[in-house]
Amino acid sequence: MAPRPDGRIVVGVDGSPHSHAAVRWAARLAVLTGGPLEAVTVWDFPSLHGAHGLVLPALDGFGPERRAAAILDETLAAAGLPDGRPAVHRRLKAGPAGPALVSAAAGAAVLVLGRRGRCAPPGARLGTTSQYCVHHAGCTVVLVKSEDPPQ
């Protein structure tokens, strides 16, 4: 028997228009259900494997985690959530986006994502991350288009 979901509403945030819509949708759901809202931005960094293992790029100002935090903050600010309602727990995760979001949503009631992010080809109905999450998440996955009107 599978464990009961903990009521969390997890929303993936990448700064894309679909992601902005997903944050607004997830916030409305959190208000309706009283479930906690957790906004997750995933970051990764380019690396090389050298003779001695992992080698990080030596670039001045290179900070993918800082950039991910800024994207998360900018997206939440742009969502226009009224007076801290619902309260949003911010979370950064490192790694490939699909597996990191599935991991973040473990035990959650719902994982809300934009239908596709910044890297999907213009005609694509779904991005690779949303496809991965639909197939691998252990909870309900809701995909939101940027054109979806508020309900």
Side-chain angles (χ1 to χ4, degrees):
M1 182 177 201
R4 290 188 55 140
D6 61 16
R8 279 180 306 130
I9 297 154
V10 178
V11 60
V13 177
D14 70 358
S16 68
H18 292 286
S19 171
H20 284 254
V23 168
R24 288 188 297 273
W25 197 97
R28 286 192 306 272
L29 183 61
V31 168
L32 288 172
T33 64
L37 179 59
E38 184 172 296
V40 179
T41 297
V42 179
W43 63 275
D44 206 351
F45 56 86
S47 62
L48 303 170
H49 288 280
H52 301 290
L54 184 65
V55 179
L56 300 177
L59 303 172
D60 285 340
F62 181 72
E65 186 174 14
R66 281 193 313 270
R67 181 64 193 130
I71 289 169
L72 182 56
D73 290 342
E74 291 162 8
T75 302
L76 291 174
L81 305 180
D83 299 323
R85 191 168 172 242
V88 180
H89 175 72
R90 291 167 163 83
R91 186 169 174 196
L92 298 174
K93 283 194 65 90
L101 287 167
V102 166
S103 170
V110 180
L111 172 59
V112 182
L113 301 170
R115 183 182 75 169
R116 61 191 190 102
R118 295 186 177 278
C119 298
R125 293 200 181 270
L126 294 178
T128 56
T129 298
S130 57
Q131 283 184 357
Y132 182 93
C133 291
V134 164
H135 291 287
H136 296 283
C139 63
T140 299
V141 178
V142 174
L143 302 178
V144 180
K145 296 188 320 183
S146 63
E147 299 85 29
D148 286 350
Q151 300 287 327

